[in-house]
Every structure is written in structure tokens, then in C-alpha cells.
Amino acid sequence: MERFQNTSLPDWDWWGKLWPTPGETLRELGLSTGDTVVEIGCGNGYFALPAARIVAPAPVYAVDLDDGLLAELEQLADQQRIDNVATVRGDARELSAHVSDPVDVALFANAFHGVDDRDEFLTEVESVLADDGRFVVVNWRPLPRSETTVAGEPRGPPTELRLGPEETAAIVEDATGLAVTAEIDIPPYHYALVFERRA
């Protein structure tokens, strides 16, 4: 995890204050029934579980390095009777070794700022996308951390690590054959970029 810095998972309580309806957020990002999804750095499933409900019966591959978080996700999926989440313990820089079938959507939320070898990571992401697949990056807006408060406390990565939409787009487009097709505002402090293969 040393190469994914400042990407620790916060608790569900403040995620709930920030995004009380994660399923609705995912629909705004374009998820729909039948989409095969990989969530990279899924944690304990705040997005993976509602994603699974949306895309069912298609699978959601929930990838993370933390066994404890994956076990928690599996327990929550069992409690909620969600049977189309496949947890995968693995390094995102070796994504193609863990996701054998092409996916329609690769979701990477709140962690892009912490990847130091972005070219290697992005090459792996591109390699698992279906021909018409989408890579969705959710980032904190490049606001001072003191201004992005949740429940009265500053949250998110350090100010100097935050990336704006143009910078994020340039990083992805320079490293891959993907191009931005949509930018989506996610109030109060986030945005998403949707990338697809260049024609």
C-alpha cells in the first residue's frame, strides 16, 4: 500500500453524510442494469454494494488489498442478500491478473491522487475494459482541505495532492488510448470524469 498514499478508507458514517444515496450517485455516473463492473480500491463496499444492486445480475468485481475490508464487504453482501459481488484481493497495478473478463465499467473513487506510478496503473485499467468500456474516476475537487468539511471536520486528501478535472484528464489521456467523454459534478466536493476509448 505504500504506493497508494493518502487513500485510507473513512468510516461509513461520514460517507453517509457526504453521499447519503450512493446508488443515485452511481446512476448519475452511468451505471445501469447489465453492466459488468470492477471497483478498484473498493474498501468495505460503500459503492460496490449499491453498484451490485444496479447492475444485477451482472457481476461487480470488488478489488482491494485489505483482507479485513473485503471480509466486511462479504459479510454485508450476505446480510443484504447480494450475490453478484466477487471480492478480489489484489493490487490494482496488476488488475489484469485479477479480472479475467472485460468489464463495462472500471470505477476508481477518491484514490487517484494517491497513485504514484500512474502510467502502470492506467495501462492495467485500460487492459481490462471492454471495447466500449468506461473508466470512471471520482476525485475531490482541488479546494483547500480546510474548505471540504464533513460533520464539521476537514476531510479528504491534503490540498497539495488534489487534482482538478483538466489535470486528471491529461494524466489519463497521455497514458492511454482513452479520452474524456463526460464530466459530472458530484456535490458538495467531488467531480467525476468518464473516459472511453478514442474512436
Side-chain angles (χ1 to χ4, degrees):
M1 290 295 289
E2 69 278 0
R3 293 167 70 192
F4 288 81
Q5 298 300 308
N6 295 285
T7 59
S8 60
L9 185 79
D11 62 54
W12 279 49
D13 181 55
W14 79 256
W15 272 137
K17 290 180 172 66
L18 189 61
W19 290 321
T21 54
E24 187 175 312
T25 300
L26 290 168
R27 289 186 188 280
E28 290 174 7
L29 299 180
L31 261 66
S32 60
T33 303
D35 282 338
T36 301
V37 177
V38 58
E39 186 188 0
I40 305 157
C42 64
N44 57 2
Y46 193 78
F47 282 124
L49 294 170
R53 291 192 195 93
I54 292 169
V55 305
V60 172
Y61 300 101
V63 178
D64 207 288
L65 281 169
D66 190 312
D67 286 320
L69 292 174
L70 292 174
E72 187 177 345
L73 192 162
E74 290 173 355
Q75 183 178 20
L76 290 166
D78 186 57
Q79 290 171 354
Q80 298 175 30
R81 298 183 179 180
I82 296 172
D83 61 6
N84 60 320
V85 173
T87 56
V88 181
R89 187 192 182 283
D91 191 318
R93 296 176 300 263
E94 301 168 353
L95 197 59
S96 58
H98 306 297
V99 179
S100 56
D101 296 322
V103 298
D104 299 306
V105 179
L107 174 65
F108 193 43
N110 300 308
F112 195 80
H113 60 269
V115 182
D116 66 352
D117 191 346
R118 293 185 178 128
D119 286 359
E120 179 184 7
F121 167 70
L122 291 167
T123 297
E124 283 294 290
V125 171
E126 185 177 19
S127 75
V128 303
L129 290 179
D131 289 345
D132 58 352
R134 287 118 49 211
F135 177 38
V136 180
V137 178
V138 178
N139 275 347
W140 289 83
R141 288 200 174 276
L143 299 167
R145 190 172 188 270
S146 60
E147 294 179 12
T148 56
T149 59
V150 181
E153 296 291 329
R155 298 291 187 173
T159 304
E160 64 273 13
L161 292 182
R162 299 182 183 213
L163 300 167
E166 291 184 3
E167 188 176 1
T168 301
I171 291 167
V172 175
E173 291 177 349
D174 288 349
T176 67
L178 306 175
V180 172
T181 57
E183 179 180 338
I184 301 159
D185 184 39
I186 308 176
Y189 307 130
H190 289 74
Y191 67 91
L193 295 180
V194 180
F195 296 87
E196 297 181 43
R197 296 188 193 280
R198 294 187 183 98

